[in-house]
Amino acid sequence: MERLRNTSVKVLLVEDDAVGRIALEQLARDKGLAWECTLAGSLSEAKELLAKHRFDCIIADFSLHDGFALTILDSAGTVPVIATTASGDEQAAVTAMKTGAFDYLIKDPQRNYLTVLPLTVENAIKHREQAMHVQMLLQAMINISDSVYITDGEGRMVFVNKAFCKTYGYDQNEVLGRHVSFIYREDFKDGPFESGEVKEICQKRKDGRLLPVALSRSVVADENGDAFCVFVVRDLREKKRVELALKRSERRYRRITEAVTDYIFTVYIENGRPIKTIHGPGCIAVTGYAAEEFAQNPYLWFEMVHEADRVAVQEQAEEILSTQNSTFIEHRIVRKDGRVCWVRNTLVPQFDHQGQLVSYDGLVRDISEQKRLEAQLHQAQKTQVLGTLAAGVAHDFNNLLMTIQGNVSLMLCEIDSGHRFSENLLEIERRIRSGAKLTRQLLRYARNDTCEVKPTDLNQLVEEVSQTFGRARKDITICKELTKDLFAVEADEAQIEQALNLFMNASDAMPGGGRLCLRTTNVTHHDVVNRPYDPKPGNYVLLEIADSGTGIDKDTLERIFEPFFTTKEMGRGTGLGLAVVYGIVKGHGGYIDVTSEKGFGTTFSIYLPATQKKALESSAAVCPIVRGDGTVLLVDDDAALLDVGVSLLKKLGYRVLKARSGAQALKVYKANRHEVNLVILDVVMPGMDGYTTCRKIREIDRNSKVLFLSGKYKDDQVDKVLEGGNGTGYTQKPFSLAELSRAIKAILGNTDDSKAAQKP
């Protein structure tokens, strides 16, 4: 009653009796009820009002002049209807209740009709609210995404929602009335189950497949006190799938991190500061320290960083904490075994759902080998640049020597051997040859020639290389014990000279000077004993290079011929020198040994197979001048060389035409093509080089004969031209008059020694 007094209640009063309407209005006023009464005198009027307005309760007379009040139920919807009547017809009451009226009252003063009516209205409104609440709950259970089923006290299903049918694969009529055990596994044991408790179990679908679920149970009772169990079930299949995928991913990540040689770590962050670090197993391979050692000493990583790089590493850590950007640096660390190695340290931040930094992952990769290769590449590029520069210097230097040699040759032609300056001029020639060898040795590493194996006098090579070395290191005393009548060896002089780079190793071992002993001797395979190899039977030439330097320790000695192995610091050695020497000796069918003791010097022993062939004579040997006749076109852009060349050719008996460029040479050749017997071309000329000039001349006359001269060394392009057969030759500057004469006759013919004239 208190609710009706304090809360406005909208009541539709359907009554065609004016006395009844007045009585109800008076009742509301007397009782102080907050009723907003709307009157309808007929069913039709009541239906119109229901269509336009909302009401909390309808009080309708059972019998109206235009019909029965109960027909209004179709229009009332969920609004409770209280039927009233002036007669106490019991059958009418039964009909009203069955039709859907909330209650049926007899308008009899003796039955306190007006006293009961307000309470009946209040109960009707409460009942409506409860019914609406129950309906809302029912709709929620029906449409909720989780499965819901209700069982009675005997375990029979009395309710299932849509989600249950979809998840378990049953229709509703297949499960209602059945005992709930059909959805449980046979081995399921129902233990204590507190109300509201959630358990993860497996149930069964209709198709027999197991269904992982999270199950909660609540016990409720109806108005009769009968107990019911309400089960709410959450399908865990997707959760289990994600968990399984996560476990697989974790196992895969663990296998990968255990397999890789990179060092992976994770630093966890709290309030912007590191609180814990997890180290992967790769830390041993990169640093030499185990994860347990890092755990025992939180500062071990920073202590391991090379002193010169600690500031950079500290700045990297501060940067990722402040900017939260992925970053990497390259720095050095000192491994547990004391070795210094280069690493690339990459840090990648990890964030939570709010964008806060929670950790960062680090990957440390050993890049020492990469750094070593970069240094080797840098050295190779530097060598290539120096080689190009040296080639240009050698060309100009050889041209300079050629000018001197040409003039010396002309002077020697004018005097006899008894002249007081004869010996001086011959000494100048010897020095010119030494200068030419210097340029050849300077360019040895820049040349890309194929092997030119020939019988070689090893003593002569040792003499020449040691002289060059001696001029560079005058603080080192060189003693030579070279056997006379030494066997010749089949060798490529350029490669053997490169192998004699061992002199430089000896030099490095004697920074303050010392003694270098060079010994050659004839041996056989019987003399090569107590070696890790079994030499092929035959004669060998033994070259020993012994220094009084610092010596080599045992560990280094075992690896000394390995490619890229070096004891020099990064950037100062490629580790290829001795490996190349080893390859050259093996390529010649020989063997190389090394003996050393720390502090007592080092001895390298090289065994090269001997040959019965005689070593070819040195280019310094005296050769006769071969005179000739005919017309020669001389082409050179250097005026001094052109002048001395003209004089040399005239001295040999030739008529000479000259040109200072390729274009000028073509004009001269076209004008004198029927007279020119030979074209002598400088290879390197501005504008049109010697090769192009030769090609264009042979477009004029394909049978023209050409002799190439160059201050550079013979290259592939010359070889291709020479492959054309007769009519083409090549001579290296500087050359003597005799060498020029024989080169010309080799092309023009008549090179028989009987036709050669001696120098006057």
Side-chain angles (χ1 to χ4, degrees), residues 191-213:
F193 207 141
E194 298 294 333
S195 181
E197 179 186 359
V198 178
K199 288 185 177 181
E200 290 193 6
I201 64 172
C202 275
Q203 294 183 327
K204 291 190 304 183
R205 285 171 41 88
K206 182 179 180 180
D207 57 14
R209 286 186 294 169
L210 293 178
L211 179 69
V213 297

mmCIF file with all atom_site columns, all heavy atoms in Angstrom, residues 191-213:
data_model
loop_
_atom_site.group_PDB
_atom_site.id
_atom_site.type_symbol
_atom_site.label_atom_id
_atom_site.label_alt_id
_atom_site.label_comp_id
_atom_site.label_asym_id
_atom_site.label_entity_id
_atom_site.label_seq_id
_atom_site.pdbx_PDB_ins_code
_atom_site.Cartn_x
_atom_site.Cartn_y
_atom_site.Cartn_z
_atom_site.occupancy
_atom_site.B_iso_or_equiv
_atom_site.pdbx_formal_charge
_atom_site.auth_seq_id
_atom_site.auth_comp_id
_atom_site.auth_asym_id
_atom_site.auth_atom_id
_atom_site.pdbx_PDB_model_num
ATOM 1   N N   . GLY A 1 191 ? 33.025 -34.535 -7.864  1.00 0.00 ? 191 GLY A N   1
ATOM 2   C CA  . GLY A 1 191 ? 33.438 -34.275 -6.488  1.00 0.00 ? 191 GLY A CA  1
ATOM 3   C C   . GLY A 1 191 ? 32.678 -33.104 -5.908  1.00 0.00 ? 191 GLY A C   1
ATOM 4   O O   . GLY A 1 191 ? 31.681 -32.630 -6.463  1.00 0.00 ? 191 GLY A O   1
ATOM 5   N N   . PRO A 1 192 ? 33.152 -32.603 -4.770  1.00 0.00 ? 192 PRO A N   1
ATOM 6   C CA  . PRO A 1 192 ? 32.509 -31.441 -4.140  1.00 0.00 ? 192 PRO A CA  1
ATOM 7   C C   . PRO A 1 192 ? 32.509 -30.258 -5.102  1.00 0.00 ? 192 PRO A C   1
ATOM 8   O O   . PRO A 1 192 ? 33.501 -29.972 -5.753  1.00 0.00 ? 192 PRO A O   1
ATOM 9   C CB  . PRO A 1 192 ? 33.386 -31.176 -2.912  1.00 0.00 ? 192 PRO A CB  1
ATOM 10  C CG  . PRO A 1 192 ? 34.084 -32.466 -2.647  1.00 0.00 ? 192 PRO A CG  1
ATOM 11  C CD  . PRO A 1 192 ? 34.274 -33.123 -3.969  1.00 0.00 ? 192 PRO A CD  1
ATOM 12  N N   . PHE A 1 193 ? 31.386 -29.583 -5.171  1.00 0.00 ? 193 PHE A N   1
ATOM 13  C CA  . PHE A 1 193 ? 31.216 -28.496 -6.132  1.00 0.00 ? 193 PHE A CA  1
ATOM 14  C C   . PHE A 1 193 ? 30.517 -27.348 -5.425  1.00 0.00 ? 193 PHE A C   1
ATOM 15  O O   . PHE A 1 193 ? 29.308 -27.371 -5.224  1.00 0.00 ? 193 PHE A O   1
ATOM 16  C CB  . PHE A 1 193 ? 30.372 -28.976 -7.325  1.00 0.00 ? 193 PHE A CB  1
ATOM 17  C CG  . PHE A 1 193 ? 30.658 -28.238 -8.610  1.00 0.00 ? 193 PHE A CG  1
ATOM 18  C CD1 . PHE A 1 193 ? 30.685 -28.915 -9.811  1.00 0.00 ? 193 PHE A CD1 1
ATOM 19  C CD2 . PHE A 1 193 ? 30.899 -26.872 -8.619  1.00 0.00 ? 193 PHE A CD2 1
ATOM 20  C CE1 . PHE A 1 193 ? 30.940 -28.256 -11.001 1.00 0.00 ? 193 PHE A CE1 1
ATOM 21  C CE2 . PHE A 1 193 ? 31.148 -26.207 -9.791  1.00 0.00 ? 193 PHE A CE2 1
ATOM 22  C CZ  . PHE A 1 193 ? 31.176 -26.893 -10.982 1.00 0.00 ? 193 PHE A CZ  1
ATOM 23  N N   . GLU A 1 194 ? 31.295 -26.360 -5.007  1.00 0.00 ? 194 GLU A N   1
ATOM 24  C CA  . GLU A 1 194 ? 30.721 -25.219 -4.316  1.00 0.00 ? 194 GLU A CA  1
ATOM 25  C C   . GLU A 1 194 ? 29.932 -24.371 -5.298  1.00 0.00 ? 194 GLU A C   1
ATOM 26  O O   . GLU A 1 194 ? 30.272 -24.265 -6.478  1.00 0.00 ? 194 GLU A O   1
ATOM 27  C CB  . GLU A 1 194 ? 31.820 -24.371 -3.677  1.00 0.00 ? 194 GLU A CB  1
ATOM 28  C CG  . GLU A 1 194 ? 32.641 -25.105 -2.619  1.00 0.00 ? 194 GLU A CG  1
ATOM 29  C CD  . GLU A 1 194 ? 31.812 -25.460 -1.402  1.00 0.00 ? 194 GLU A CD  1
ATOM 30  O OE1 . GLU A 1 194 ? 30.836 -24.743 -1.143  1.00 0.00 ? 194 GLU A OE1 1
ATOM 31  O OE2 . GLU A 1 194 ? 32.138 -26.455 -0.732  1.00 0.00 ? 194 GLU A OE2 1
ATOM 32  N N   . SER A 1 195 ? 28.891 -23.739 -4.795  1.00 0.00 ? 195 SER A N   1
ATOM 33  C CA  . SER A 1 195 ? 28.080 -22.871 -5.633  1.00 0.00 ? 195 SER A CA  1
ATOM 34  C C   . SER A 1 195 ? 28.928 -21.700 -6.122  1.00 0.00 ? 195 SER A C   1
ATOM 35  O O   . SER A 1 195 ? 29.586 -21.022 -5.333  1.00 0.00 ? 195 SER A O   1
ATOM 36  C CB  . SER A 1 195 ? 26.874 -22.359 -4.846  1.00 0.00 ? 195 SER A CB  1
ATOM 37  O OG  . SER A 1 195 ? 26.073 -21.536 -5.666  1.00 0.00 ? 195 SER A OG  1
ATOM 38  N N   . GLY A 1 196 ? 28.937 -21.454 -7.440  1.00 0.00 ? 196 GLY A N   1
ATOM 39  C CA  . GLY A 1 196 ? 29.726 -20.384 -8.011  1.00 0.00 ? 196 GLY A CA  1
ATOM 40  C C   . GLY A 1 196 ? 31.140 -20.808 -8.387  1.00 0.00 ? 196 GLY A C   1
ATOM 41  O O   . GLY A 1 196 ? 31.854 -20.065 -9.067  1.00 0.00 ? 196 GLY A O   1
ATOM 42  N N   . GLU A 1 197 ? 31.580 -21.997 -7.918  1.00 0.00 ? 197 GLU A N   1
ATOM 43  C CA  . GLU A 1 197 ? 32.925 -22.473 -8.248  1.00 0.00 ? 197 GLU A CA  1
ATOM 44  C C   . GLU A 1 197 ? 33.010 -22.824 -9.737  1.00 0.00 ? 197 GLU A C   1
ATOM 45  O O   . GLU A 1 197 ? 32.041 -23.295 -10.335 1.00 0.00 ? 197 GLU A O   1
ATOM 46  C CB  . GLU A 1 197 ? 33.246 -23.698 -7.395  1.00 0.00 ? 197 GLU A CB  1
ATOM 47  C CG  . GLU A 1 197 ? 34.622 -24.303 -7.677  1.00 0.00 ? 197 GLU A CG  1
ATOM 48  C CD  . GLU A 1 197 ? 34.852 -25.601 -6.907  1.00 0.00 ? 197 GLU A CD  1
ATOM 49  O OE1 . GLU A 1 197 ? 33.952 -26.019 -6.153  1.00 0.00 ? 197 GLU A OE1 1
ATOM 50  O OE2 . GLU A 1 197 ? 35.925 -26.203 -7.094  1.00 0.00 ? 197 GLU A OE2 1
ATOM 51  N N   . VAL A 1 198 ? 34.189 -22.586 -10.359 1.00 0.00 ? 198 VAL A N   1
ATOM 52  C CA  . VAL A 1 198 ? 34.397 -22.880 -11.776 1.00 0.00 ? 198 VAL A CA  1
ATOM 53  C C   . VAL A 1 198 ? 35.409 -24.014 -11.894 1.00 0.00 ? 198 VAL A C   1
ATOM 54  O O   . VAL A 1 198 ? 36.493 -23.952 -11.314 1.00 0.00 ? 198 VAL A O   1
ATOM 55  C CB  . VAL A 1 198 ? 34.902 -21.644 -12.544 1.00 0.00 ? 198 VAL A CB  1
ATOM 56  C CG1 . VAL A 1 198 ? 35.150 -21.996 -14.008 1.00 0.00 ? 198 VAL A CG1 1
ATOM 57  C CG2 . VAL A 1 198 ? 33.890 -20.510 -12.443 1.00 0.00 ? 198 VAL A CG2 1
ATOM 58  N N   . LYS A 1 199 ? 35.033 -25.068 -12.627 1.00 0.00 ? 199 LYS A N   1
ATOM 59  C CA  . LYS A 1 199 ? 35.922 -26.195 -12.863 1.00 0.00 ? 199 LYS A CA  1
ATOM 60  C C   . LYS A 1 199 ? 36.150 -26.365 -14.361 1.00 0.00 ? 199 LYS A C   1
ATOM 61  O O   . LYS A 1 199 ? 35.232 -26.165 -15.163 1.00 0.00 ? 199 LYS A O   1
ATOM 62  C CB  . LYS A 1 199 ? 35.321 -27.489 -12.305 1.00 0.00 ? 199 LYS A CB  1
ATOM 63  C CG  . LYS A 1 199 ? 35.313 -27.589 -10.798 1.00 0.00 ? 199 LYS A CG  1
ATOM 64  C CD  . LYS A 1 199 ? 34.814 -28.957 -10.369 1.00 0.00 ? 199 LYS A CD  1
ATOM 65  C CE  . LYS A 1 199 ? 34.866 -29.131 -8.853  1.00 0.00 ? 199 LYS A CE  1
ATOM 66  N NZ  . LYS A 1 199 ? 34.414 -30.469 -8.429  1.00 0.00 ? 199 LYS A NZ  1
ATOM 67  N N   . GLU A 1 200 ? 37.384 -26.749 -14.725 1.00 0.00 ? 200 GLU A N   1
ATOM 68  C CA  . GLU A 1 200 ? 37.689 -27.066 -16.121 1.00 0.00 ? 200 GLU A CA  1
ATOM 69  C C   . GLU A 1 200 ? 37.667 -28.579 -16.277 1.00 0.00 ? 200 GLU A C   1
ATOM 70  O O   . GLU A 1 200 ? 38.467 -29.286 -15.654 1.00 0.00 ? 200 GLU A O   1
ATOM 71  C CB  . GLU A 1 200 ? 39.051 -26.497 -16.544 1.00 0.00 ? 200 GLU A CB  1
ATOM 72  C CG  . GLU A 1 200 ? 39.062 -24.984 -16.653 1.00 0.00 ? 200 GLU A CG  1
ATOM 73  C CD  . GLU A 1 200 ? 40.302 -24.451 -17.359 1.00 0.00 ? 200 GLU A CD  1
ATOM 74  O OE1 . GLU A 1 200 ? 41.093 -25.274 -17.863 1.00 0.00 ? 200 GLU A OE1 1
ATOM 75  O OE2 . GLU A 1 200 ? 40.461 -23.217 -17.417 1.00 0.00 ? 200 GLU A OE2 1
ATOM 76  N N   . ILE A 1 201 ? 36.714 -29.057 -17.075 1.00 0.00 ? 201 ILE A N   1
ATOM 77  C CA  . ILE A 1 201 ? 36.560 -30.495 -17.299 1.00 0.00 ? 201 ILE A CA  1
ATOM 78  C C   . ILE A 1 201 ? 36.336 -30.733 -18.785 1.00 0.00 ? 201 ILE A C   1
ATOM 79  O O   . ILE A 1 201 ? 36.253 -29.790 -19.575 1.00 0.00 ? 201 ILE A O   1
ATOM 80  C CB  . ILE A 1 201 ? 35.379 -31.073 -16.486 1.00 0.00 ? 201 ILE A CB  1
ATOM 81  C CG1 . ILE A 1 201 ? 34.058 -30.443 -16.963 1.00 0.00 ? 201 ILE A CG1 1
ATOM 82  C CG2 . ILE A 1 201 ? 35.577 -30.866 -14.994 1.00 0.00 ? 201 ILE A CG2 1
ATOM 83  C CD1 . ILE A 1 201 ? 32.828 -31.094 -16.363 1.00 0.00 ? 201 ILE A CD1 1
ATOM 84  N N   . CYS A 1 202 ? 36.223 -32.011 -19.160 1.00 0.00 ? 202 CYS A N   1
ATOM 85  C CA  . CYS A 1 202 ? 35.890 -32.379 -20.534 1.00 0.00 ? 202 CYS A CA  1
ATOM 86  C C   . CYS A 1 202 ? 34.522 -33.047 -20.551 1.00 0.00 ? 202 CYS A C   1
ATOM 87  O O   . CYS A 1 202 ? 34.270 -33.988 -19.787 1.00 0.00 ? 202 CYS A O   1
ATOM 88  C CB  . CYS A 1 202 ? 36.939 -33.324 -21.121 1.00 0.00 ? 202 CYS A CB  1
ATOM 89  S SG  . CYS A 1 202 ? 38.362 -32.481 -21.827 1.00 0.00 ? 202 CYS A SG  1
ATOM 90  N N   . GLN A 1 203 ? 33.632 -32.562 -21.399 1.00 0.00 ? 203 GLN A N   1
ATOM 91  C CA  . GLN A 1 203 ? 32.325 -33.192 -21.607 1.00 0.00 ? 203 GLN A CA  1
ATOM 92  C C   . GLN A 1 203 ? 32.277 -33.752 -23.026 1.00 0.00 ? 203 GLN A C   1
ATOM 93  O O   . GLN A 1 203 ? 33.254 -33.660 -23.774 1.00 0.00 ? 203 GLN A O   1
ATOM 94  C CB  . GLN A 1 203 ? 31.207 -32.177 -21.364 1.00 0.00 ? 203 GLN A CB  1
ATOM 95  C CG  . GLN A 1 203 ? 31.123 -31.722 -19.912 1.00 0.00 ? 203 GLN A CG  1
ATOM 96  C CD  . GLN A 1 203 ? 29.970 -30.770 -19.656 1.00 0.00 ? 203 GLN A CD  1
ATOM 97  O OE1 . GLN A 1 203 ? 29.593 -29.984 -20.516 1.00 0.00 ? 203 GLN A OE1 1
ATOM 98  N NE2 . GLN A 1 203 ? 29.410 -30.831 -18.457 1.00 0.00 ? 203 GLN A NE2 1
ATOM 99  N N   . LYS A 1 204 ? 31.126 -34.347 -23.366 1.00 0.00 ? 204 LYS A N   1
ATOM 100 C CA  . LYS A 1 204 ? 31.007 -34.992 -24.680 1.00 0.00 ? 204 LYS A CA  1
ATOM 101 C C   . LYS A 1 204 ? 29.965 -34.289 -25.536 1.00 0.00 ? 204 LYS A C   1
ATOM 102 O O   . LYS A 1 204 ? 28.901 -33.913 -25.049 1.00 0.00 ? 204 LYS A O   1
ATOM 103 C CB  . LYS A 1 204 ? 30.610 -36.462 -24.523 1.00 0.00 ? 204 LYS A CB  1
ATOM 104 C CG  . LYS A 1 204 ? 31.673 -37.340 -23.927 1.00 0.00 ? 204 LYS A CG  1
ATOM 105 C CD  . LYS A 1 204 ? 31.304 -38.823 -24.029 1.00 0.00 ? 204 LYS A CD  1
ATOM 106 C CE  . LYS A 1 204 ? 29.955 -39.114 -23.372 1.00 0.00 ? 204 LYS A CE  1
ATOM 107 N NZ  . LYS A 1 204 ? 29.623 -40.541 -23.413 1.00 0.00 ? 204 LYS A NZ  1
ATOM 108 N N   . ARG A 1 205 ? 30.294 -34.141 -26.806 1.00 0.00 ? 205 ARG A N   1
ATOM 109 C CA  . ARG A 1 205 ? 29.324 -33.661 -27.780 1.00 0.00 ? 205 ARG A CA  1
ATOM 110 C C   . ARG A 1 205 ? 28.499 -34.839 -28.308 1.00 0.00 ? 205 ARG A C   1
ATOM 111 O O   . ARG A 1 205 ? 28.795 -35.995 -28.034 1.00 0.00 ? 205 ARG A O   1
ATOM 112 C CB  . ARG A 1 205 ? 30.043 -32.987 -28.950 1.00 0.00 ? 205 ARG A CB  1
ATOM 113 C CG  . ARG A 1 205 ? 30.594 -31.610 -28.647 1.00 0.00 ? 205 ARG A CG  1
ATOM 114 C CD  . ARG A 1 205 ? 31.479 -31.095 -29.776 1.00 0.00 ? 205 ARG A CD  1
ATOM 115 N NE  . ARG A 1 205 ? 30.933 -31.394 -31.094 1.00 0.00 ? 205 ARG A NE  1
ATOM 116 C CZ  . ARG A 1 205 ? 30.081 -30.618 -31.759 1.00 0.00 ? 205 ARG A CZ  1
ATOM 117 N NH1 . ARG A 1 205 ? 29.681 -29.476 -31.215 1.00 0.00 ? 205 ARG A NH1 1
ATOM 118 N NH2 . ARG A 1 205 ? 29.630 -30.956 -32.948 1.00 0.00 ? 205 ARG A NH2 1
ATOM 119 N N   . LYS A 1 206 ? 27.495 -34.512 -29.075 1.00 0.00 ? 206 LYS A N   1
ATOM 120 C CA  . LYS A 1 206 ? 26.649 -35.547 -29.655 1.00 0.00 ? 206 LYS A CA  1
ATOM 121 C C   . LYS A 1 206 ? 27.450 -36.458 -30.582 1.00 0.00 ? 206 LYS A C   1
ATOM 122 O O   . LYS A 1 206 ? 27.215 -37.679 -30.625 1.00 0.00 ? 206 LYS A O   1
ATOM 123 C CB  . LYS A 1 206 ? 25.496 -34.907 -30.431 1.00 0.00 ? 206 LYS A CB  1
ATOM 124 C CG  . LYS A 1 206 ? 24.528 -35.908 -31.044 1.00 0.00 ? 206 LYS A CG  1
ATOM 125 C CD  . LYS A 1 206 ? 23.396 -35.205 -31.777 1.00 0.00 ? 206 LYS A CD  1
ATOM 126 C CE  . LYS A 1 206 ? 22.426 -36.211 -32.398 1.00 0.00 ? 206 LYS A CE  1
ATOM 127 N NZ  . LYS A 1 206 ? 21.317 -35.536 -33.108 1.00 0.00 ? 206 LYS A NZ  1
ATOM 128 N N   . ASP A 1 207 ? 28.447 -35.889 -31.300 1.00 0.00 ? 207 ASP A N   1
ATOM 129 C CA  . ASP A 1 207 ? 29.249 -36.679 -32.233 1.00 0.00 ? 207 ASP A CA  1
ATOM 130 C C   . ASP A 1 207 ? 30.355 -37.472 -31.539 1.00 0.00 ? 207 ASP A C   1
ATOM 131 O O   . ASP A 1 207 ? 31.164 -38.116 -32.188 1.00 0.00 ? 207 ASP A O   1
ATOM 132 C CB  . ASP A 1 207 ? 29.856 -35.786 -33.316 1.00 0.00 ? 207 ASP A CB  1
ATOM 133 C CG  . ASP A 1 207 ? 30.704 -34.656 -32.753 1.00 0.00 ? 207 ASP A CG  1
ATOM 134 O OD1 . ASP A 1 207 ? 31.039 -34.709 -31.565 1.00 0.00 ? 207 ASP A OD1 1
ATOM 135 O OD2 . ASP A 1 207 ? 31.020 -33.713 -33.514 1.00 0.00 ? 207 ASP A OD2 1
ATOM 136 N N   . GLY A 1 208 ? 30.407 -37.405 -30.201 1.00 0.00 ? 208 GLY A N   1
ATOM 137 C CA  . GLY A 1 208 ? 31.372 -38.188 -29.445 1.00 0.00 ? 208 GLY A CA  1
ATOM 138 C C   . GLY A 1 208 ? 32.684 -37.477 -29.168 1.00 0.00 ? 208 GLY A C   1
ATOM 139 O O   . GLY A 1 208 ? 33.512 -37.966 -28.394 1.00 0.00 ? 208 GLY A O   1
ATOM 140 N N   . ARG A 1 209 ? 32.902 -36.346 -29.825 1.00 0.00 ? 209 ARG A N   1
ATOM 141 C CA  . ARG A 1 209 ? 34.147 -35.624 -29.593 1.00 0.00 ? 209 ARG A CA  1
ATOM 142 C C   . ARG A 1 209 ? 34.149 -34.977 -28.218 1.00 0.00 ? 209 ARG A C   1
ATOM 143 O O   . ARG A 1 209 ? 33.096 -34.540 -27.727 1.00 0.00 ? 209 ARG A O   1
ATOM 144 C CB  . ARG A 1 209 ? 34.363 -34.559 -30.666 1.00 0.00 ? 209 ARG A CB  1
ATOM 145 C CG  . ARG A 1 209 ? 34.769 -35.126 -32.005 1.00 0.00 ? 209 ARG A CG  1
ATOM 146 C CD  . ARG A 1 209 ? 35.106 -34.021 -32.986 1.00 0.00 ? 209 ARG A CD  1
ATOM 147 N NE  . ARG A 1 209 ? 33.921 -33.217 -33.314 1.00 0.00 ? 209 ARG A NE  1
ATOM 148 C CZ  . ARG A 1 209 ? 33.967 -32.074 -33.978 1.00 0.00 ? 209 ARG A CZ  1
ATOM 149 N NH1 . ARG A 1 209 ? 35.141 -31.598 -34.369 1.00 0.00 ? 209 ARG A NH1 1
ATOM 150 N NH2 . ARG A 1 209 ? 32.859 -31.412 -34.247 1.00 0.00 ? 209 ARG A NH2 1
ATOM 151 N N   . LEU A 1 210 ? 35.337 -34.935 -27.612 1.00 0.00 ? 210 LEU A N   1
ATOM 152 C CA  . LEU A 1 210 ? 35.465 -34.326 -26.294 1.00 0.00 ? 210 LEU A CA  1
ATOM 153 C C   . LEU A 1 210 ? 35.412 -32.810 -26.415 1.00 0.00 ? 210 LEU A C   1
ATOM 154 O O   . LEU A 1 210 ? 35.906 -32.221 -27.376 1.00 0.00 ? 210 LEU A O   1
ATOM 155 C CB  . LEU A 1 210 ? 36.767 -34.756 -25.632 1.00 0.00 ? 210 LEU A CB  1
ATOM 156 C CG  . LEU A 1 210 ? 36.865 -36.245 -25.256 1.00 0.00 ? 210 LEU A CG  1
ATOM 157 C CD1 . LEU A 1 210 ? 38.225 -36.542 -24.645 1.00 0.00 ? 210 LEU A CD1 1
ATOM 158 C CD2 . LEU A 1 210 ? 35.749 -36.645 -24.296 1.00 0.00 ? 210 LEU A CD2 1
ATOM 159 N N   . LEU A 1 211 ? 34.822 -32.196 -25.377 1.00 0.00 ? 211 LEU A N   1
ATOM 160 C CA  . LEU A 1 211 ? 34.618 -30.761 -25.377 1.00 0.00 ? 211 LEU A CA  1
ATOM 161 C C   . LEU A 1 211 ? 35.203 -30.182 -24.096 1.00 0.00 ? 211 LEU A C   1
ATOM 162 O O   . LEU A 1 211 ? 34.650 -30.381 -23.007 1.00 0.00 ? 211 LEU A O   1
ATOM 163 C CB  . LEU A 1 211 ? 33.121 -30.444 -25.472 1.00 0.00 ? 211 LEU A CB  1
ATOM 164 C CG  . LEU A 1 211 ? 32.731 -28.977 -25.466 1.00 0.00 ? 211 LEU A CG  1
ATOM 165 C CD1 . LEU A 1 211 ? 33.181 -28.302 -26.751 1.00 0.00 ? 211 LEU A CD1 1
ATOM 166 C CD2 . LEU A 1 211 ? 31.210 -28.840 -25.299 1.00 0.00 ? 211 LEU A CD2 1
ATOM 167 N N   . PRO A 1 212 ? 36.344 -29.479 -24.170 1.00 0.00 ? 212 PRO A N   1
ATOM 168 C CA  . PRO A 1 212 ? 36.881 -28.852 -22.967 1.00 0.00 ? 212 PRO A CA  1
ATOM 169 C C   . PRO A 1 212 ? 36.028 -27.645 -22.585 1.00 0.00 ? 212 PRO A C   1
ATOM 170 O O   . PRO A 1 212 ? 35.752 -26.779 -23.422 1.00 0.00 ? 212 PRO A O   1
ATOM 171 C CB  . PRO A 1 212 ? 38.293 -28.428 -23.393 1.00 0.00 ? 212 PRO A CB  1
ATOM 172 C CG  . PRO A 1 212 ? 38.214 -28.255 -24.873 1.00 0.00 ? 212 PRO A CG  1
ATOM 173 C CD  . PRO A 1 212 ? 37.193 -29.236 -25.360 1.00 0.00 ? 212 PRO A CD  1
ATOM 174 N N   . VAL A 1 213 ? 35.604 -27.603 -21.316 1.00 0.00 ? 213 VAL A N   1
ATOM 175 C CA  . VAL A 1 213 ? 34.716 -26.525 -20.879 1.00 0.00 ? 213 VAL A CA  1
ATOM 176 C C   . VAL A 1 213 ? 35.137 -26.031 -19.507 1.00 0.00 ? 213 VAL A C   1
ATOM 177 O O   . VAL A 1 213 ? 35.813 -26.727 -18.742 1.00 0.00 ? 213 VAL A O   1
ATOM 178 C CB  . VAL A 1 213 ? 33.249 -26.982 -20.821 1.00 0.00 ? 213 VAL A CB  1
ATOM 179 C CG1 . VAL A 1 213 ? 32.748 -27.381 -22.199 1.00 0.00 ? 213 VAL A CG1 1
ATOM 180 C CG2 . VAL A 1 213 ? 33.058 -28.114 -19.818 1.00 0.00 ? 213 VAL A CG2 1
#
